[in-house]
């Protein structure tokens, strides 16, 4: 059976270019950024980026009170900035979904929960399923999980993919974002393979990082992942979203990821149905640039 399973994944991967050279990838990503990021440095793009933020709080100090206040800020945004579109989602730990659900009044803002043993993915499958189901039951619209990096790196593609498939089944129509933890995967080839396998197993989005590892999102990882999304779409006709997360601290960082998505995937990916930014710091910085004065709103 194991051989059969591995053959299935080998067959899926055979349709894609998975042997990549890190130096070439770095050069291509750098070229895109150098040639195009400045043209996207506009007020309209910044407004668009703001509307793609998954406003995130994933701290050990989070409490029901702090998450309620965090959510109330998103509610208040509607009155304070009526001409701007709000953030795309609020992203919290699963035990906070109910608090956000009971507090959130703003329209068109989803509730996203990290789940399934985040950030290490090192727990029992039964726990991953239960945690995900409970998050959805208490109000989550979207689930962010981490691949079993250890299984992937030891060549157990079947074990990794089975988990994603099972968790996607739990999610049903709800979006499943699959985090590759690209800093731990290290090579462009690994990132490409993990991207393809995650999409093949049902991911609605692929996401770079948890933000909990020393290396988070990088332009090189983003380039490889967007290329994988493009090739997968050409092969299957299914559009998968992209979410860089971790270490997105400046407007230029956000513009770099926007530019890579635009140049590799095209304009149709530049909306919050297919592009998200996972960040807690960026919202105030982006808002300050949009309104033209220093703002500490969130």
């Amino acid at each position: 059976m194991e051989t059969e399973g591995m053959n299935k994944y080998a067959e899926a991967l055979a349709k894609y270019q998975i042997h990549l050279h890190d130096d070439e990838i770095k050069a291509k990503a750098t070229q895109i950024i150098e040639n195009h990021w400045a043209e996207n440095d506009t007020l309209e793009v910044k407004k668009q980026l703001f509307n793609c933020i998954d406003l995130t709080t994933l701290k050990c100090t989070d409490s029901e009170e702090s998450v309620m206040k965090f959510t109330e800020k998103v509610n208040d945004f509607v009155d304070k900035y009526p001409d701007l579109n709000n953030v795309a989602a609020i992203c919290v730990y699963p035990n906070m979904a109910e608090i956000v659900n009971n507090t959130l009044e703003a329209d068109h803002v989803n509730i996203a929960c990290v789940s399934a043993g985040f950030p290490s993915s090192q727990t029992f499958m039964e726990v991953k399923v239960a945690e995900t189901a409970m998050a959805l039951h208490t109000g989550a619209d979207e689930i962010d999980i981490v691949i079993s990096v250890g299984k992937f790196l030891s060549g157990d593609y079947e074990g990794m993919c089975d988990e994603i498939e099972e968790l996607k089944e739990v999610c049903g129509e709800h979006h499943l974002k699959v985090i590759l933890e690209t800093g731990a995967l290290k090579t462009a080839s690994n990132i490409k393979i993990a991207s393809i396998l995650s999409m093949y197993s049902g991911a609605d989005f692929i996401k770079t990082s948890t933000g909990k590892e020393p290396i988070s999102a990088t332009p090189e990882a983003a380039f490889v992942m967007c290329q994988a999304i493009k090739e997968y779409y050409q092969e299957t006709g299914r559009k998968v979203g992209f979410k860089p997360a971790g270490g997105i601290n400046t407007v230029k960082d956000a513009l770099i990821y926007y530019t890579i998505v635009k140049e590799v995937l095209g304009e149709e990916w530049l909306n919050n149905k297919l592009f998200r930014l996972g960040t807690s710091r960026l919202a105030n910085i982006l808002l300050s640039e949009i309104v033209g004065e220093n703002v500490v709103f969130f």
Side-chain angles (χ1 to χ4, degrees):
M1 278 304 288
E2 195 176 326
T3 312
E4 215 174 285
M6 287 312 291
N7 285 346
K8 181 169 78 164
Y9 299 112
E11 205 175 300
L13 291 169
K15 298 171 183 171
Y16 302 93
Q17 171 55 269
I18 56 171
H19 301 293
L20 306 178
H21 298 285
D22 292 350
D23 292 346
E24 285 177 19
I25 295 299
K26 189 174 179 63
K28 285 176 182 174
T30 302
Q31 189 177 20
I32 285 174
I33 295 160
E34 285 176 354
N35 292 348
H36 297 286
W37 90 265
E39 72 200 42
N40 295 317
D41 188 8
T42 68
L43 183 62
E44 279 314 303
V45 169
K46 287 169 191 171
K47 288 180 182 177
Q48 205 175 350
L49 285 168
F50 187 86
N51 186 226
C52 292
I53 288 176
D54 279 1
L55 191 68
T56 304
T57 182
L58 297 171
K59 301 193 288 281
C60 67
T61 52
D62 288 343
S63 64
E64 292 189 359
E65 188 185 1
S66 72
V67 171
M68 192 183 292
K69 285 180 178 169
F70 189 74
T71 307
E72 282 168 351
K73 290 283 188 186
V74 175
N75 293 340
D76 295 343
F77 183 86
V78 181
D79 295 326
K80 178 80 174 169
Y81 300 100
D83 297 334
L84 294 177
N85 288 325
N86 216 326
V87 294
I90 296 173
C91 184
V92 293
Y93 280 115
N95 56 319
M96 296 296 174
E98 190 168 14
I99 294 294
V100 180
N101 194 35
N102 292 341
T103 310
L104 184 62
E105 293 165 3
D107 293 332
H108 311 301
V109 179
N110 282 352
I111 301 168
C113 282
V114 295
S115 183
F118 178 95
S120 67
S121 196
Q122 298 284 13
T123 189
F124 301 101
M125 192 58 203
E126 293 83 353
V127 174
K128 295 183 181 187
V129 167
E131 189 178 34
T132 302
M134 288 169 79
L136 292 164
H137 180 68
T138 52
D141 303 300
E142 307 171 358
I143 296 291
D144 292 34
I145 65 162
V146 186
I147 66 167
S148 286
V149 177
K151 283 192 169 105
F152 175 82
L153 290 175
S154 59
D156 182 10
Y157 296 166
E158 188 171 12
M160 179 198 114
C161 292
D162 282 351
E163 288 194 1
I164 298 170
E165 284 175 18
E166 194 168 341
L167 291 168
K168 177 55 190 169
E169 207 171 300
V170 175
C171 289
E173 293 302 304
H174 297 280
H175 269 179
L176 179 67
K177 304 195 204 90
V178 176
I179 304 165
L180 307 184
E181 201 63 284
T182 51
L185 298 184
K186 293 189 166 46
T187 69
S189 291
N190 277 346
I191 293 168
K192 182 73 174 281
I193 293 166
S195 297
I196 299 294
L197 291 176
S198 297
M199 292 186 286
Y200 181 80
S201 302
D204 298 295
F205 262 77
I206 51 174
K207 174 177 167 183
T208 59
S209 324
T210 60
K212 307 293 186 187
E213 287 287 314
I215 299 172
S216 288
T218 64
E220 295 80 20
F223 177 80
V224 173
M225 290 169 73
C226 287
Q227 195 65 48
I229 290 169
K230 182 181 183 176
E231 290 173 26
Y232 184 80
Y233 173 60
Q234 288 167 345
E235 183 66 37
T236 66
R238 188 164 83 85
K239 286 183 180 173
V240 173
F242 171 64
K243 178 178 172 180
I248 303 173
N249 300 323
T250 67
V251 173
K252 185 174 181 182
D253 289 338
L255 287 169
I256 282 170
Y257 293 115
Y258 177 95
T259 302
I260 289 168
V261 171
K262 184 179 174 185
E263 294 305 314
V264 178
L265 290 165
E267 300 272 354
E268 57 196 299
W269 257 263
L270 296 174
N271 59 72
N272 69 16
K273 300 285 180 283
L274 290 166
F275 178 48
R276 297 284 181 85
L277 294 157
T279 178
S280 50
R281 299 181 192 90
L282 187 67
N284 285 326
I285 300 167
L286 208 43
L287 192 54
S288 299
E289 290 223 2
I290 291 166
V291 301
E293 61 183 26
N294 191 40
V295 176
V296 183
F297 183 81
F298 293 101

